[in-house]
Amino acid sequence: MLELERLATTIETWWPEILAFLQTGITNAGSEGTNRVIKTVARDAYGFRNPDYQRLRTRCATTRRSRRCLNPA
C-alpha cells in the first residue's frame, strides 16, 4: 500500500508537467541533454585557468554539428 501512496503522491506533485506533455508532446529532454554535455565538458576541463577557453570548449561541444554523434535523431 505504501508504494501505491508514493506513486499517487508523485503523480499529484508532477501533474502539471505530465498534463503539459500530454497536451503538447514536448519534453525538456533536449535541454537536459545539453546541460549534461556542458557539465561533462566542465568536469573534463577541471583545473584549466582560462574561463574563455572553457567557454569555447562548451560552445563547441553543444553545437548541432558536434552533437551529431551523440544523438543521431
Side-chain angles (χ1 to χ4, degrees), residues 2-34:
L2 183 60
E3 276 300 312
L4 189 57
E5 289 175 13
R6 288 179 59 196
L7 179 61
T9 302
T10 301
I11 291 173
E12 184 178 345
T13 301
W14 288 97
W15 184 248
E17 290 81 2
I18 294 168
L19 187 59
F21 169 72
L22 293 173
Q23 291 173 339
T24 65
I26 298 172
T27 69
N28 67 339
S31 61
E32 291 291 338
T34 299

Side-chain angles (χ1 to χ4, degrees), residues 43-58:
R43 188 171 39 252
D44 291 345
Y46 182 74
F48 288 140
R49 296 182 180 173
N50 186 342
D52 292 330
Y53 181 63
Q54 183 176 348
R55 200 171 7 259
L56 178 62
R57 285 182 56 157
T58 300

